[in-house]
């Protein structure tokens, strides 16, 4: 009966062809769509015991290719390539999948709070609920049989009154006895089933009451703890204000005292089997050199997250001297290190741009009223007020990745692909430099929101970004540089856990150099914001990043070392190596993600195979962070580029982030108005989604296909290198801008 129930609950099921591998191609599989999940089996008989694969539609992308094929992906980690027998069948499935996805999203958003159960406990409760549901199904069946047999018995009794002969009476009485027996059997079955259900419910009631009481007490304790922390936070804020009044300027020791708190943070790093543990030793160099002769220094580098005891760190600032007439505009330091790159300041734009935004106002905030309902939930689904944000959209925040694009400009001139990879690695690290003291949350873009940034006059690139999906939240970005093109899909998984907020990027970034054709891909590492409720907010980056050159198979493995209170080594450290397709190391990358990255070529290898020692040439500064404005702490710790991203500009699309009213009001310091407008925009977005879902349901009931939401400036295609479905720039945005043709833009603001 349970199997029949599962069959009846399925929203759709049938045969489809699923891609398996290049040897077997498409194979016939039995697919079942139920409760927002798409599962497949080899045949119908397997439904009771073996599921071959399942994908959740809650955050999935559904993409149609040709007349019979469609693809379902959950952001890159899981993808189903499916083919139907004909176009009509394909459309039936796609429509059903879109409706199931919308239903799953609605169910998620209607949940008032999310409960986390232990795995065994959850399985036990699920089993009990299935058992109770099975008994209820039996009771329902018995009820139907009782009604059926009772009606038949009543009809026989009525017929008995009209019988004349004794023979007919005898036959009717026999029939009545048979039907009375059936009625008695079904009644007894009903009584027994009800008794079993009652006994099962009573047996579990006391246990459930204990579980419920435990959960309630845990919730109350958590609420009391967070409320107490929030009160302490308020008291500390008031005390800090009074301290600032008596002591106008903070000495460096004040900041150091705040930073001496004990922080708990992840210590483990995921290491690849292909990455060896190795040590690099380079002869020590003098602090200052009178000539340009290369002096080597000795450092120790390990591929794992171990403490480096023999590494020599520069203690002071490096004086940089410009050598006139150098064709590559090299910067030679007096420590024997060479910084390669243009020496022209980036802020030499022909257009006069602003260099700051209005100061951040000091708004009081009832922290507890917001935090108590957010613990454990997805960041993108929390209705955060602007008090936690900075006046930039996520689309604009991603544009800051290209602040140090001159690294790519220089890398594009290199002929050695592994040296080029070392500089590409430095570029990927530079994108984290702004996060060291930026703790504000960017605005979640609305579906269809765009952002263009044309900085060809000073930085040499222009980009266009669009919010192409709301569930899951996904940004598609395309950037064109001097001799390179970069594009990415940015989506993330994020959770707020009370003490910290963790963001795990899921999208893939692509970089291709126009001259050589070298194609690189990478994924960003995990970002964690600590001390959300009490204490000084601080940001950490940790995890491994693989930058792969798909042209020649070389790879750079970067390790972002997590912060550790017990580690005497430099914090925020990044170290890695560049190796060819055979694993031979050729370049070393070392530094910190918030200050500077240096690269050096490997000149020789000593030691054993398991513990090799690499000697390198002189270190070159591949990237060094530009110092932020001295008073940037007054306006969200923005860099000059960040201040210019939301500057009003004529001629941009009506969906551009600069035109977003709540974000503009926040920048101007009108936070109360911004919060009111923000709520209205989010409700407008929800209403538009409900309208799309209603149209889809009407089309389905009428037998008509209803296409899912399609972006305006990007389209979904299969990426040839990774094989994933990605959003690719159509290329017509800039043409439409020249013509001021924004007829395709939705009304989202």
């Amino acid at each position: 009966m349970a199997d029949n129930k599962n069959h009846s609950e399925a929203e759709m099921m049938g045969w489809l062809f699923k891609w398996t591998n290049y040897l077997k191609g498409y194979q016939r599989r039995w697919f079942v769509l139920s409760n927002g999940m798409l599962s497949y089996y080899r045949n119908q008989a397997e439904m009771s015991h073996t599921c071959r694969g399942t994908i959740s539609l809650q955050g999935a992308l559904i993409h149609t290719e040709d007349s019979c094929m469609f693809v379902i992906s959950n952001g890159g980690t899981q993808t189903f390539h499916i083919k139907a027998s004909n176009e009509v069948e394909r459309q039936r499935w796609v429509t059903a999948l879109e409706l199931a996805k919308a239903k799953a999203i609605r169910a998620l958003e209607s949940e008032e709070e999310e409960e986390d159960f232990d795995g065994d406990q959850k399985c036990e409760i699920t089993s009990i609920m299935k058992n109770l549901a099975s008994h209820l199904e039996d009771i329902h069946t018995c009820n139907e049989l009782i009604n059926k047999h009772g009606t038949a018995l009543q009809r026989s009794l009525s017929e008995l009154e009209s019988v004349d002969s004794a023979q007919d009476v005898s036959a009717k009485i026999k029939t009545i006895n048979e039907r009375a027996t059936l009625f008695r059997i079904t009644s007894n079955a009903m009584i027994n089933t009800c008794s079993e259900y009652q006994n099962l419910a009573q047996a579990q009631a006391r246990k459930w009451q204990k579980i419920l009481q435990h959960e309630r007490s845990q919730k109350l304790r958590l609420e009391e703890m967070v409320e107490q922390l929030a009160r302490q936070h308020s008291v500390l804020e008031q005390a800090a204000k009074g301290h600032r009044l008596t002591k106008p300027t903070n000495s460096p020791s004040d900041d150091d005292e705040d930073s001496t708190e004990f922080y708990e943070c992840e210590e483990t790093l995921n290491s690849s089997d292909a990455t060896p543990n190795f040590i690099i030793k380079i002869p020590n160099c003098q602090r200052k050199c009178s000539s340009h002769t290369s002096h080597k220094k000795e450092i120790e580098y390990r591929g794992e997250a171990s403490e480096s005891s023999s590494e020599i760190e520069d203690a002071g600032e490096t004086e940089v001297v410009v050598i006139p007439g150098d064709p590559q505009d090299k910067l030679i330091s007096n420590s024997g290190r060479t910084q390669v790159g243009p020496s022209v300041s980036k802020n030499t734009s022909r257009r006069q741009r602003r260099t700051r935004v209005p100061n951040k106002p000091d708004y009081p905030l009832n922290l507890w009223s917001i935090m108590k309902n957010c613990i454990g939930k997805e960041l993108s689904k929390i209705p955060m007020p602007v008090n936690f944000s900075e006046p930039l959209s996520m689309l604009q925040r991603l544009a800051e990745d290209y602040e140090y694009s001159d690294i790519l400009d220089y890398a594009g001139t290199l002929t050695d692909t592994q040296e080029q990879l070392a500089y590409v690695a430095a570029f990927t690290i530079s994108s984290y430099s702004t996060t060291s003291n930026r703790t504000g949350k960017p605005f979640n873009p609305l579906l269809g929101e765009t952002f263009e940034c044309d900085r060809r006059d000073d930085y040499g690139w222009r980009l266009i970004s669009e919010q192409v999906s709301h569930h899951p939240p996904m940004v598609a970005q395309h950037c064109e540089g001097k001799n390179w093109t970069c594009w990415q899909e940015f989506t993330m998984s994020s959770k707020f856990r009370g003490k910290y907020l963790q963001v795990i990027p899921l999208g893939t970034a692509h970089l291709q150099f126009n001259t050589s054709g070298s194609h690189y891909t990478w994924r960003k590492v995990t970002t964690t914001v600590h001390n959300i409720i009490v204490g000084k907010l601080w940001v950490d980056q940790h995890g491994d990043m693989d930058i792969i050159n798909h042209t020649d198979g070389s790879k750079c493995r970067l390790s972002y070392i997590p912060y550790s209170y017990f580690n005497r080594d430099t914090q925020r450290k990044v170290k890695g190596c560049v190796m060819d397709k055979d694993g031979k190391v050729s370049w070393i990358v070392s530094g910190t993600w918030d200050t500077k990255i240096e690269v050096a070529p490997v000149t020789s290898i000593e030691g054993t195979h398991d513990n090799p020692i690499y000697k390198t040439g002189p270190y070159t500064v591949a990237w060094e962070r530009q110092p932020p404005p001295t008073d940037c702490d007054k306006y969200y710790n923005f860099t000059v580029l960040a201040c210019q991203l939301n500057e009003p500009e004529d001629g941009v699309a009506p969906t551009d982030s600069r035109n977003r009213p709540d974000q503009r009001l926040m920048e101007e310091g009108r936070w109360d108005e911004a919060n009111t407008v923000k709520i209205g925009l989010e409700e407008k977005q929800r209403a538009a989604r409900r309208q799309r879902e209603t149209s889809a349901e009407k089309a389905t009931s009428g037998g008509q296909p209803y296409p899912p939401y399609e972006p305006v400036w990007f389209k979904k295609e299969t990426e040839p290198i990774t094989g994933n479905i990605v959003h690719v720039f159509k290329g017509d945005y800039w043409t439409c801008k020249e013509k001021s043709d924004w007829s395709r833009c939705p009304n989202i603001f």
Side-chain angles (χ1 to χ4, degrees):
M1 185 174 296
D3 290 343
N4 292 334
K5 184 180 178 182
N6 291 335
H7 281 267
S8 63
E9 287 181 351
E11 299 165 29
M12 190 169 181
M13 61 178 67
W15 291 104
L16 292 169
F17 295 89
K18 180 183 179 296
W19 174 264
T20 54
N21 53 52
Y22 285 99
L23 294 177
K24 297 183 179 180
Y26 284 93
Q27 295 293 316
R28 192 166 180 254
R29 296 290 183 261
W30 180 258
F31 280 82
V32 177
L33 173 62
S34 178
N35 296 326
M37 307 288 289
L38 180 66
S39 307
Y40 72 92
Y41 312 82
R42 285 188 177 176
N43 49 58
Q44 293 170 267
E46 281 192 346
M47 291 181 63
S48 60
H49 56 84
T50 305
C51 178
R52 300 291 174 175
T54 301
I55 189 169
S56 173
L57 299 176
Q58 195 175 88
L61 293 174
I62 304 170
H63 169 66
T64 55
E65 292 188 338
D66 58 20
S67 59
C68 297
M69 295 178 59
F70 60 97
V71 179
I72 306 172
S73 175
N74 63 357
T77 58
Q78 194 178 22
T79 303
F80 287 178
H81 295 262
I82 302 173
K83 184 193 297 184
S85 56
N86 53 63
E87 185 174 359
V88 175
E89 184 70 11
R90 191 281 307 267
Q91 192 55 50
R92 287 181 61 247
W93 275 99
V94 169
T95 303
L97 290 168
E98 289 287 353
L99 292 176
K101 174 183 175 181
K103 183 178 178 182
I105 293 171
R106 284 201 305 269
L108 178 67
E109 291 183 343
S110 64
E111 293 178 356
E112 293 183 354
E113 75 181 320
E114 184 177 292
E115 296 181 343
D116 293 327
F117 288 99
D118 180 79
D120 295 338
Q121 187 184 65
K122 187 175 181 180
C123 292
E124 181 183 358
I125 292 177
T126 302
S127 175
I128 294 171
M129 293 302 296
K130 286 184 177 179
N131 200 356
L132 288 172
S134 177
H135 279 76
L136 282 176
E137 186 71 19
D138 292 341
I139 292 173
H140 179 70
T141 303
C142 291
N143 180 59
E144 291 180 345
L145 291 174
I146 287 176
N147 290 334
K148 177 182 176 181
H149 295 318
T151 302
L153 180 60
Q154 184 66 36
R155 186 170 54 250
S156 298
L157 291 173
S158 300
E159 293 174 353
L160 182 63
E161 297 176 356
S162 60
V163 174
D164 296 332
S165 63
Q167 185 177 359
D168 292 339
V169 169
S170 177
K172 287 295 181 183
I173 290 176
K174 182 179 180 181
T175 302
I176 290 173
N177 287 333
E178 292 175 354
R179 292 180 176 177
T181 301
L182 290 174
F183 184 82
R184 184 174 62 255
I185 291 172
T186 53
S187 299
N188 290 335
M190 168 69 88
I191 294 171
N192 293 334
T193 305
C194 290
S195 177
E196 291 175 1
Y197 180 85
Q198 182 183 13
N199 293 335
L200 180 62
Q202 287 178 344
Q204 298 299 324
R206 183 174 299 177
K207 184 176 182 180
W208 288 356
Q209 286 177 352
K210 289 183 179 180
I211 293 174
L212 180 60
Q213 184 62 35
H214 174 73
E215 293 297 325
R216 285 177 175 172
S217 61
Q218 288 288 91
K219 180 183 177 183
L220 289 174
R221 276 196 293 268
L222 181 61
E223 288 180 349
E224 291 173 359
M225 180 187 71
V226 179
E227 188 172 9
Q228 182 180 6
L229 291 175
R231 285 197 299 268
Q232 294 174 1
H233 180 265
S234 178
V235 172
L236 289 172
E237 273 191 339
Q238 297 298 325
K241 289 178 182 177
H243 181 69
R244 284 196 295 268
L245 291 175
T246 58
K247 187 178 180 182
T249 58
N250 289 331
S251 64
S253 60
D254 295 331
D255 296 334
D256 293 340
E257 189 175 349
D258 289 339
S259 63
T260 57
E261 279 190 65
F262 178 81
Y263 304 118
E264 260 187 88
C265 144
E266 296 182 45
E267 292 286 335
T268 58
L269 292 174
N270 297 326
S271 59
S272 171
D273 294 337
T275 305
N277 294 335
F278 55 91
I279 302 175
I280 305 119
K281 291 187 178 180
I282 307 106
N284 190 19
C285 74
Q286 298 177 0
R287 176 68 185 116
K288 294 191 177 182
C289 306
S290 58
S291 67
H292 298 150
T293 305
S294 299
H295 292 271
K296 300 177 181 179
K297 71 173 185 176
E298 179 167 309
I299 70 169
E300 181 183 70
Y301 180 93
R302 294 185 182 271
E304 58 186 359
S306 61
E307 183 171 323
S308 185
S309 59
S310 64
E311 180 169 350
I312 307 298
E313 296 290 344
D314 287 337
E317 297 181 354
T318 301
E319 182 182 353
V320 178
V321 181
V322 180
I323 301 181
D326 191 300
Q328 292 185 348
D329 230 358
K330 293 184 179 179
L331 301 182
I332 308 297
S333 71
N334 60 0
S335 62
R337 296 177 181 175
T338 306
Q339 179 175 356
V340 181
S343 60
V344 180
S345 173
K346 292 181 179 179
N347 296 312
T348 57
S349 169
R350 289 191 291 269
R351 172 186 167 184
Q352 188 67 29
R353 302 181 187 271
R354 69 183 185 182
T355 58
R356 59 167 296 148
V357 296
N359 287 352
K360 179 180 179 180
D362 186 13
Y363 268 79
L365 179 66
N366 186 352
L367 192 69
W368 167 240
S369 64
I370 299 168
M371 291 296 184
K372 66 178 181 179
N373 294 322
C374 297
I375 297 175
K377 293 192 175 181
E378 180 73 20
L379 175 64
S380 60
K381 298 178 177 63
I382 298 175
M384 285 287 190
V386 300
N387 307 58
F388 287 92
S389 302
E390 60 182 19
L392 284 180
S393 168
M394 177 60 77
L395 302 175
Q396 295 166 315
R397 186 71 181 265
L398 289 175
E400 295 185 61
D401 288 357
Y402 303 97
E403 181 172 3
Y404 298 95
S405 59
D406 56 324
I407 305 175
L408 295 182
D409 297 338
Y410 175 74
T413 65
L414 300 175
T415 56
D416 184 346
T417 57
Q418 295 190 41
E419 180 183 6
Q420 184 181 76
L421 179 51
Y423 279 89
V424 172
F427 168 75
T428 64
I429 298 169
S430 71
S431 64
Y432 293 104
S433 62
T434 61
T435 66
S436 60
N437 55 357
R438 294 265 293 279
T439 55
K441 173 182 173 293
F443 277 68
N444 292 332
L446 302 176
L447 184 62
E449 185 175 334
T450 61
F451 176 67
E452 68 159 83
C453 190
D454 191 344
R455 302 300 294 261
R456 289 174 295 178
D457 55 352
D458 51 355
Y459 285 86
W461 48 260
R462 66 177 181 179
L463 65 80
I464 174 66
S465 302
E466 181 180 2
Q467 185 79 356
V468 295
S469 172
H470 188 59
H471 289 286
M474 180 178 291
V475 176
Q477 183 188 75
H478 181 88
C479 184
E480 302 167 356
K482 293 179 179 178
N483 60 352
W484 50 268
T485 305
C486 194
W487 65 97
Q488 67 171 320
E489 276 187 345
F490 181 83
T491 182
M492 64 182 185
S493 172
S494 57
K495 288 290 184 180
F496 171 63
R497 294 298 185 187
K499 291 177 62 178
Y500 64 89
L501 172 69
Q502 197 165 70
V503 178
I504 305 171
L506 302 176
T508 302
H510 295 255
L511 168 67
Q512 187 168 20
F513 288 101
N514 301 338
T515 304
S516 64
S518 296
H519 191 147
Y520 300 90
T521 62
W522 65 90
R523 284 191 175 185
K524 298 189 175 186
V525 296
T526 299
T527 300
T528 302
V529 183
H530 295 268
N531 292 350
I532 295 294
I533 297 178
V534 175
K536 184 178 180 180
L537 288 173
W538 59 284
V539 180
D540 192 27
Q541 316 288 346
H542 51 90
D544 290 340
M545 175 190 291
D546 284 336
I547 308 168
I548 303 173
N549 184 346
H550 295 273
T551 306
D552 63 3
S554 58
K555 179 177 72 172
C556 177
R557 161 61 65 91
L558 295 176
S559 292
Y560 289 70
I561 311 301
Y563 180 92
S564 174
Y565 182 80
F566 302 102
N567 190 0
R568 296 181 180 179
D569 202 357
T570 304
Q571 301 293 350
R572 298 175 174 175
K573 189 169 185 178
V574 182
K575 51 186 181 180
C577 62
V578 176
M579 61 188 78
D580 61 16
K581 62 180 180 180
D582 299 321
K584 181 180 179 181
V585 176
S586 58
W587 283 80
I588 300 301
V589 181
S590 181
T592 57
W593 54 262
D594 65 330
T595 307
K596 180 172 59 177
I597 292 295
E598 298 174 318
V599 298
V602 174
T603 57
S604 62
I605 305 176
E606 299 177 358
T608 63
H609 176 73
D610 296 332
N611 192 22
I613 299 175
Y614 298 89
K615 290 186 177 181
T616 74
Y619 266 68
T620 300
V621 179
W623 163 74
E624 189 166 12
R625 182 185 180 187
Q626 292 184 352
T630 56
D631 60 343
C632 65
D633 59 320
K634 298 178 181 178
Y635 47 91
Y636 313 95
N637 288 303
F638 277 1
T639 62
V640 174
L641 176 61
C643 292
Q644 297 167 351
L645 293 176
N646 200 46
E647 186 175 6
E649 185 173 331
D650 295 331
V652 299
T655 53
D656 196 281
S657 300
R658 300 175 184 87
N659 298 325
R660 182 164 175 167
D662 53 348
Q663 187 173 298
R664 181 65 59 194
L665 288 168
M666 183 198 174
E667 181 185 291
E668 296 171 355
R670 299 153 63 182
W671 285 15
D672 291 336
E673 297 176 60
N675 279 318
T676 302
V677 173
K678 182 174 181 289
I679 294 173
L681 290 177
E682 292 169 348
E683 180 54 39
K684 182 177 181 179
Q685 181 175 237
R686 285 190 287 268
R689 188 187 70 245
R690 288 193 294 266
Q691 184 177 1
R692 287 194 300 271
E693 293 169 358
T694 302
S695 300
E697 291 172 355
K698 290 181 179 178
T700 304
S701 61
Q704 299 294 325
Y706 185 81
Y709 175 83
E710 293 293 340
V712 178
W713 309 109
F714 289 80
K715 60 181 178 180
K716 288 183 283 188
E717 290 184 355
T718 302
E719 209 286 313
I721 289 181
T722 61
N724 295 329
I725 303 298
V726 297
H727 287 85
V728 179
F729 180 49
K730 296 179 181 178
D732 55 349
Y733 177 87
W734 305 109
T735 304
C736 291
K737 182 181 179 180
E738 291 175 0
K739 300 177 181 178
S740 296
D741 180 12
W742 304 119
S743 57
R744 287 185 286 169
C745 293
N747 179 14
I748 59 174
F749 297 147

